[in-house]
Amino acid sequence: MMKKALFIDRDGTIIVEPPIDFQVDSFEKFSFVPKVISALSFIRKKLDFEFAMVTNQDGLGTEAFPEEQFIGPHSLMINTLLGEGVEFDDQIIDKTFEHENKPTRKPGTALLGKYLSGGYDLENSFVIGDRLSDVKLAKNLGAKAILFQDIDTAQEMFKEEDENLRFVCALITNDWDKIAEYLFAGERIAIVKRDTSETKIEVKLNLDGSGKSNISTGLGFFNHMLDQIARHSGIDLYIKTNGDLYVDEHHTIEDTALALGEALYKALGSKRGIERYGYTLPMDECICTVALDFGGRPWLVWEADFKREKIGEMPTEMFMHFFKSLSDAAKMNLYVKAEGINEHHKIEGIFKALARSIKMAIKRDIYNYQLPSSKGVL
């Protein structure tokens, strides 16, 4: 059986990197990145990855960075982690300077020969680090990258160098709990295609995304509402619908709801560790409540009336139908109530409240990876 490895950067990923000289050369500069100890301990105990620390330490052993300044804080880190069950199988330290451009320095692989010899499943191994050199190392190894950065910083990093490196990243986060969750429970991604004589629909979603959306249904106001789901739930959502709008809007709206609901159901998978329940949201003069339960039993309670026949090009009679189809396909209980004067505000508030309910309900705690049901099944 081929082995898998985590190639983990040190400074900026396990321990905090000093912002001025980037060298942890004293105990005063030493501190752990938040949550890293518990996350690494969990990963080490629960999963079958080998741990390899791969770090560039510029000029280590020279007058600029004497080895005795390095060894104390480094040993403290290693021994602290060891006390929590985190043992590194390998420590790979390159001591060259960046301007030397040596093949031993990340993203070079000259010091990683044993991992390229054929005994490792690199396709299912990961490089975890806070710089693009770590992402490039993953690319050079044929592995996946987990970029330890916030989304905004990461996007700027890719803009400055190579947007294509984004596709090497399996995950971008600056939260070690999210890394542990991803490695343990995997992706929560679904793709649903629905082709009928009336509509052709493709839905892609990632429950652990960053709120990106690409929506095209042929109905402008409907696009706007579906975009609210992505933005306010934090899921990544792609919807492409080609429907028989020359007949009317009914099939386009209903079938999109069915495909979206099915995608939610698929992406949730076993539902282990999720909060399950989820929101009341004010919007100007309106108060909108959406409560949901991903409990596996579809039901809709709808308490919202509209005086206008249409909002944009979307018939108001289709709002209830959308949520009924969504709840059926996602196998969820859904309670919707809205009070207010402005019809646009009421329905937008409902969609935003739905999004926040989804965000609450899909939140996952992998340290308590239980099924949220006394029945043992959802």
Side-chain angles (χ1 to χ4, degrees):
M1 182 177 177
M2 296 181 74
K3 295 177 283 189
K4 296 184 297 182
L6 295 182
F7 303 94
I8 307 171
D9 177 45
R10 196 189 83 139
D11 302 353
T13 304
I14 298 175
I15 58 176
V16 175
E17 185 171 56
I20 298 176
D21 61 5
F22 309 111
Q23 287 184 341
V24 183
D25 53 10
S26 68
F27 290 107
E28 288 75 21
K29 292 182 178 180
F30 177 89
S31 63
F32 280 101
V33 167
K35 304 182 184 179
V36 67
I37 297 176
S38 59
L40 286 176
S41 178
F42 176 84
I43 295 166
R44 187 76 205 199
K45 291 172 184 175
K46 296 288 186 180
L47 303 177
D48 59 351
F49 290 101
E50 288 190 6
F51 278 25
M53 184 184 300
V54 185
T55 177
N56 294 334
Q57 295 295 324
D58 294 19
L60 180 60
T62 68
E63 288 185 7
F65 192 8
E67 194 143 353
E68 57 267 25
Q69 294 180 0
F70 169 83
I71 198 65
H74 185 76
S75 296
L76 175 61
M77 178 193 68
I78 292 296
N79 291 330
T80 302
L81 291 172
L82 194 58
E84 297 298 324
V86 181
E87 181 178 3
F88 282 89
D89 302 281
D90 209 350
Q91 294 183 49
I92 300 157
I93 302 172
D94 179 70
K95 303 177 182 181
T96 67
F97 289 99
E98 184 175 8
H99 68 265
E100 296 178 85
N101 200 27
K102 296 287 187 179
T104 56
R105 181 184 177 87
K106 286 190 298 184
T109 61
L111 294 178
L112 300 171
K114 79 172 189 178
Y115 298 100
L116 295 163
S117 63
Y120 285 83
D121 179 7
L122 292 174
E123 187 177 346
N124 291 300
S125 296
F126 295 85
V127 177
I128 306 174
D130 65 317
R131 297 190 178 191
L132 287 187
S133 57
D134 299 297
V135 180
K136 291 176 182 178
L137 176 62
K139 183 179 179 181
N140 292 342
L141 287 171
K144 301 170 188 173
I146 295 176
L147 181 59
F148 190 74
Q149 283 289 354
D150 66 89
I151 293 294
D152 292 339
T153 301
Q155 288 176 341
E156 289 303 313
M157 290 167 68
F158 292 127
K159 283 180 184 177
E160 290 177 7
E161 189 147 350
D162 185 356
E163 289 278 1
N164 291 325
L165 284 174
R166 173 67 180 84
F167 300 104
V168 181
C169 294
L171 180 67
I172 299 173
T173 182
N174 60 354
D175 185 340
W176 265 102
D177 281 352
K178 292 291 186 184
I179 295 174
E181 177 183 312
Y182 175 83
L183 292 174
F184 181 71
E187 296 176 320
R188 294 193 293 176
I189 292 174
I191 299 174
V192 170
K193 294 182 180 180
R194 179 182 175 88
D195 291 345
T196 73
S197 59
E198 298 161 339
T199 57
K200 183 176 182 180
I201 300 169
E202 183 175 16
V203 174
K204 302 176 186 176
L205 65 79
N206 178 2
L207 294 183
D208 302 302
S210 57
K212 298 188 299 243
S213 68
N214 185 345
I215 313 291
S216 176
T217 66
L219 299 170
F221 185 75
F222 193 31
N223 293 346
H224 181 46
M225 292 301 98
L226 293 170
D227 180 66
Q228 300 307 308
I229 294 177
R231 288 177 183 270
H232 294 280
S233 69
I235 68 176
D236 290 343
L237 183 59
Y238 169 91
I239 298 176
K240 176 68 174 177
T241 300
N242 289 312
D244 55 358
L245 293 175
Y246 61 88
V247 175
D248 70 5
E249 306 88 349
H250 187 106
H251 300 139
T252 292
I253 296 168
E254 177 184 31
D255 288 5
T256 299
L258 290 169
L260 176 58
E262 184 182 349
L264 281 168
Y265 181 74
K266 285 184 173 181
L268 281 167
S270 71
K271 301 180 185 176
R272 286 191 174 276
I274 68 167
E275 291 291 333
R276 178 177 166 180
Y277 304 101
Y279 206 83
T280 299
L281 182 139
M283 184 166 182
D284 296 325
E285 85 294 349
C286 301
I287 186 76
C288 302
T289 298
V290 175
L292 64 81
D293 172 16
F294 282 118
R297 297 183 303 278
W299 193 269
L300 173 68
V301 175
W302 179 265
E303 297 183 15
D305 295 317
F306 299 92
K307 297 179 178 64
R308 288 169 56 181
E309 180 182 354
K310 286 188 173 186
I311 300 178
E313 63 281 77
M314 191 169 176
T316 54
E317 68 176 8
M318 288 303 300
F319 293 140
M320 176 181 176
H321 201 64
F322 171 86
F323 283 90
K324 177 65 168 65
S325 299
L326 182 71
S327 65
D328 285 349
K331 294 182 173 58
M332 65 177 170
N333 284 181
L334 197 55
Y335 171 83
V336 180
K337 183 177 181 179
E339 298 176 2
I341 299 170
N342 186 287
E343 307 289 69
H344 183 121
H345 290 163
K346 276 162 53 177
I347 193 59
E348 185 167 345
I350 289 172
F351 271 86
K352 287 179 177 178
L354 170 69
R356 299 301 291 187
S357 294
I358 291 172
K359 184 173 186 175
M360 292 173 66
I362 65 175
K363 184 179 178 182
R364 191 166 54 175
D365 179 6
I366 51 96
Y367 299 119
N368 182 27
Y369 201 63
Q370 303 297 316
L371 194 67
S373 171
S374 58
K375 295 180 175 64
V377 65
L378 282 178

